[in-house]
Amino acid sequence: MGQRPPIIINRLDAERLQRLIDNAAEKDLMVAELLEEELMRGEVLDPQDIPEDVVSMNSQIRFTDLTRERQMIRTLVYPHALDSVEDGISVMAPIGAALIGLRIGDVIEWPLPNNTEVRLRVDAIFWQPEREQQFHR
């Protein structure tokens, strides 16, 4: 796996993500461990200090899977919100976990459960709660 870009995490997101990690089911352990590594290496900021170009929870983003040459638009959500968000991707899914904290233009190589890797690039953030002053979303 290549060098991962620096990431920034909203303090409230970090607390909620840590609870998800602590309570992860057996099937989610690989993603939970990777997500915990990301939390540990990330810069944690108060919600009002999150830059507008950072992927935070509930952000709607466009990203490219460079491995498969596929572009997607998804909203990064907690697992419990998956059913209520049409374009949702769970932060506990491998690709969702890879996206948290990245900035527009960042590329990350991320392991998948089938012993392969994916390269993802964040292209745009269409909606971000912090930018809209929704700090507790």
Side-chain angles (χ1 to χ4, degrees):
M1 189 161 41
Q3 180 84 19
R4 291 184 185 169
I7 61 170
I8 298 172
I9 309 233
N10 171 328
R11 181 180 46 78
L12 297 176
D13 289 349
E15 292 167 4
R16 292 174 184 143
L17 291 170
Q18 188 61 57
R19 282 195 295 274
L20 270 180
I21 291 163
D22 292 343
N23 297 312
E26 180 90 20
K27 67 179 181 60
D28 295 327
L29 285 182
M30 177 190 158
V31 173
E33 288 171 6
L34 289 166
L35 197 52
E36 191 160 44
E37 285 175 24
E38 292 298 272
L39 287 182
M40 290 171 61
R41 75 178 190 88
E43 179 183 1
V44 177
L45 298 177
D46 285 332
Q48 61 272 19
D49 297 329
I50 298 293
E52 294 184 2
D53 65 343
V54 170
V55 177
S56 62
M57 291 305 301
N58 299 302
S59 293
Q60 184 186 49
I61 62 173
R62 183 178 67 222
F63 63 96
T64 302
D65 176 339
L66 298 168
T67 309
R68 294 170 188 82
E69 297 182 9
R70 249 179 72 199
Q71 199 169 68
M72 291 167 266
I73 296 174
R74 296 285 183 269
T75 299
L76 186 62
V77 297
Y78 294 101
H80 71 270
L82 210 45
D83 292 338
S84 62
V85 178
E86 190 175 317
D87 66 350
I89 184 169
S90 172
V91 71
M92 290 301 285
I95 289 179
L99 294 168
I100 188 77
L102 295 178
R103 296 182 98 136
I104 295 171
D106 281 349
V107 174
I108 192 166
E109 292 178 11
W110 195 258
L112 297 176
N114 60 1
N115 291 322
T116 62
E117 279 192 353
V118 66
R119 284 185 75 227
L120 305 171
R121 180 185 66 224
V122 176
D123 300 319
I125 298 175
F126 298 123
W127 193 86
Q128 181 210 56
E130 293 84 359
R131 185 169 62 208
E132 303 301 321
Q133 309 278 311
Q134 294 186 21
F135 299 126
H136 300 285
R137 188 177 165 106

